[in-house]
Every structure is written in C-alpha cells, then in structure tokens.
Amino acid sequence: MTPGDRPDYLRPVPTDASVPDAGSAAPAIDPYASGTPGLTPPLSSSHAGRFITDVIVDLGYVPAERVEQVVAEARTAGRSPESLMVEQGLLGADQLSRAVAERYGLQHIDLNIYTVDMAAANMVTVAAARRFRAVPVGFVDSDTLLLAMADPANVLAIDDVQMMTGLNCRVAVAAEVDIDNLINQLNSLESAVTEAVEEDEDEAEIGPAGVTELRESADDAPVIKLVYSILGQAVNDGASDVHFEPEERDMRVRFRVDGVLKEVARVPKRMVAGVVSRIKIMSELDIAEKRVPQDGRVAVNVDDRKVDLRVVTVPTERGEGATVRILDKTQALRTLDELGMLGEGRRRFQEAFSQAYGAVLVTGPTGSGKSTTLYSALNEINDVSRNILTIEDPVEYRIAGVNQMGVNRKAGLDFATGLRSMLRADPDVIMVGEVRDAETARIAIEAALTGHMVLTTLHTNDAPGAVTRLNKMGIESFLTASAVDCVVAQRLARTLCIDCKRRTVLTRAALEAAGFHVGADVEAWEPVGCARCSGTGYRGRVGLYSVMRMSEELRDLTVQSAPQADLTRVARQEGMSTLREDGLEKVREGLTSIEEVARVAV
C-alpha cells in the first residue's frame, strides 16, 4: 500500500487544520495542532510504504546487521521480525510504534503523555477496544474521533469503530502495551467493585447462610460481575495467582504479578460469602463445606484467550478464602532462549535431555518455573519417533503429540502408581511432575537405568543438593550416580522494563556488600518505573540457571556419599556457574537488576 492508496482515515491530518466546534458532546480541541503533548507527526515522507524493518534501521533503533539476523530467525520461527526484536529486548514498544507510524505516514501518540478524553474513550465497549486494540482518545471535531491504534492497517477494526460510534476516525499509532494499559484503566477493578456495591446496596447482609442462601447470593448479578471482573483483570495484568483473603471488616484481593504480590481491591463484608461461593460453584466444589480445604479446576475464556483456573479454598480464622492459580495457555510453551537459558549451561542441559536414557532433574522452590523448563525441553525433543508420556499433578498445559496423565488420588492414582504403569506402555521419554516420596524416586531412577529418558523436578536449593536429597530419600548412592546425568537449579527474576530502565555503575564495594565478589566496578542497569510497568521498573521475568553435568569425579563422590560441599566444589571446578553468577551476567546484559538477583538467589 502506497501513501496515495491509503483510505482517508489513514492519512495524517494537516497540522494547520481548523477544528470546528464539537458542540455539547465534547469540547473542541485540535489534537494535531503543533505542540500537542504526546502527539507527533511523521519525521519524513520517505519512510511511507517501506518495510517496517527498513524503517527501524533508518530510525537508528537497531543496527542493520542485527536486523538481518532477526529476519532470518523470524523466517524460521514463522514470526514477524519486529515482534522478535521486542521479545529479545532489541526494540522498545514505543520505538516499534514510532516505526509503524513512520511507515504509514501517520502521527504517533504517546498515551503516557497525551491527555485522554474519557468521553471519547467510553464511546466503545471495553471488549470491543480489546478486540480491536484500538481506543478513541479525543475528538478532532464534532464528527471525527482521534483513534489510537497499535495496527493502523487493520481497516476492518476502523470500520467497526466508525459504525459503533457513528463518527469518522482519524488514526494515530500508539504502543500496544499503552493501549492495553488504557483499556485496563477503563475496566479498573476499583470501578467494578464500586458498581457491584452500588447494585448490591439493597441486599441484606449475608449472615450464617444455609446452602440455599449461599447459592442465591453467589448467583446475584453484582457478585458474578465482580468475580468475573477480578479474574479478567488478573489475566490482563499477567497475574499467576489471585488471593481472596477474608479479614475482619472486608476481603482483601491480591494479585501475584512477576512473583510479587500486590493488593488490587477490597470486597465489602456483605459480599464476601457470595464471592467465595461463586468461585466454588465455578470450579464445582461443595459450597456447604467450609471446614476443610477443597481444590478444583475450571477452564474459562477471557478476551478470546483460553485459561485454566486451579482453585484452592482456604478455611481461616476470619472466614473462608480462596486462591486461584491462572494457567494461561498462550504462555505455555516457551523456548529455552525465551526462558533465558543461554551459553554453556544451555548446551549442557540440551545435551543431557537429548540422550536416549538417563535422568535430568530440575530443582528449585515452588513457583520457580521448573515445569515450564521441562515443557520447553519436551517441546524440543517432541517428534513422531519418540513416545513421550508425562504424569503431572495436575496437567498444567496440554502439548500436542505428548500423552499426559493427571494424578487422581481419589481414584488411587498417585505418582508412583502412574509411573509404574507408564513403564509398561513402551515409553521413550517420561516426565514426572515432581518426585515427592521415596517410592516415586526409586521408580524414576530405575526407569532411567533401564533405557528411558526421565525428566523430573525436586525441591532443593541448588544443583548438588539434588544428589544429597535422593540419597536421604533412601536411593542407594550407586543408583543415583549411574542414573542422574544432569541437574538444573533455577529461580525466576523480574526483568527490567525496557522503556524506563537506566544505566548505572555498580561499585565494587556495593557489590561486595551484596555478596557479589567480582573485583571491579560493573556497568549495569537499574529500575526506574513508568506507566508501562505500573511504576515498578520491571515487566516480565527471566530465568537464572545453574547447570551441573555429572562427570566421573562427581559420580565417584556420589557413590562415596560425599558431603554436599565437596560436590559443589568439584562441580564449580568443572565449570558450573552458581545462580548468582548467572544472575550477575544477566545484570550486565541489562535484563535484570542486582537487587532482584540478590532477592531471588540467596
């Protein structure tokens, strides 16, 4: 599409355009006038119609050589080059939106600076804005909206907005993350709670209700609206867990985003029982049983994204609460590159799980991404020549071509029973969600010794600790030495927001005070905080890894039941990096901060 072929709404408005009175519907403004904060015209007409990668190079955002490499990677991965550049941290969201604006010869709008006219923004529904990735942010005149879009080539979305509002649209390009943030503001939890409370004003306070009353309160429209608003906001914020925590006067709602909890809303006392009952009804739990914990699962669609919710109810002294784990299928399968496993550690791990037999262990605390790492490994070796079986509690993500089994203790199916039966199903690769007891550990080790590749997880603080843990579980040391081929310890650290991170120098004294002994100052990056990262300075997470490949000397020490300190010393001599060393390397690369590494890698 050339500039001359663009529809009228894709053509920039002249900066000297006069703006007639918008009448009573909205104040008359000229968003294109010179000096409007947050709105800038294209730099040059020469960029119009060119490839987006060429525009990115012309603007000096990414070197041409690096862009060529990404284009080749994107062709192999079936992805767009610009999305890969953003994912790899080469290109900021704001830079990408500016390049798109230049390509189409449109104005660029920075929604962090531009003052949004909420009267215009509310002319489309939140669902429609999210579907189109477009929000009206102002009035050009009484008949024309200023429409902020991430993809101005989506002419169908523009037509739909024009039909919904009855107004013409002029397009300005905004960063996709800024549009998402604006949509989230339009659908904020606080407003959802306020609206639900107002609708519930006439309802009597719920006392010690029976089953019938609980079900009726859970079916109230305000309660349903509130629960769905909370879950929808959690998915949009990228939360991994939602905590409903009853207190004396109300219920606190917290999201865990990037591993850190934050309070997002308060539910009034009279709605607490209804909210918990609605969550239990969704996950098919017994709403009359409040004395013992219950767990369930439900699949829901949030803005065309299918997510699984794992629900656990928690009876406390202040009442019954609930925790909801969000399993977003769009985030399920990620490559080892995306997880942050690179260099020598990546090579060691990949060599280990690509073998025909042996045991590969991934260790770390709950929530450190162990299962995600194993899924990435399975995805790399998943082909028609291998029979891959998994047993998990529960099956978090379904992988095409992999036979997955979920633990069902009520039916007598636990890890040991399932693993024992799997060995009779002619597997090549077995993944065990977690080794929790001696029986499961023994079966897994014996499977690795009899020609199967076994992938599993353990709860230990570091890689050498896995060997000691197996021995303490009653596994003979000579079996551990023969079966275990590789152990990976990992943690998850928050990644710095690419749009606001700032260069800094970490002095040798400061590093030593934090427990990092490098002998020199280190150039690094630090968090700042902006609208795109909700003021935290971080957005997303990256893995920190310590990979120990079993050598002959380590196997000898294992047979001798040597102390963990001896195993650590030899592994370090053979090139194993610690979690902190891997973290420090990612600090140098600008992926995370030294404070974050010190927080997660003790």
Side-chain angles (χ1 to χ4, degrees), residues 109 111-121 135-138 182 185-186:
I109 185 167
L111 295 178
N112 295 303
I113 302 174
Y114 184 84
T115 302
V116 176
D117 187 330
M118 299 309 290
V135 183
V137 293
L182 177 56
Q185 290 175 24
L186 297 174

Side-chain angles (χ1 to χ4, degrees), residues 126 130 177 179-189 232-233 236-237:
V126 170
R130 188 165 284 125
V177 64
I179 292 176
D180 288 342
N181 288 340
L182 177 56
I183 293 171
N184 289 341
Q185 290 175 24
L186 297 174
N187 191 34
S188 67
L189 272 184
Q233 189 70 32
N236 292 326
D237 286 358

Side-chain angles (χ1 to χ4, degrees), residues 14 90 144-145 200 239 343 345 423 471:
L90 299 172
T144 308
L145 286 171
D200 194 53
L423 292 174
N471 291 344

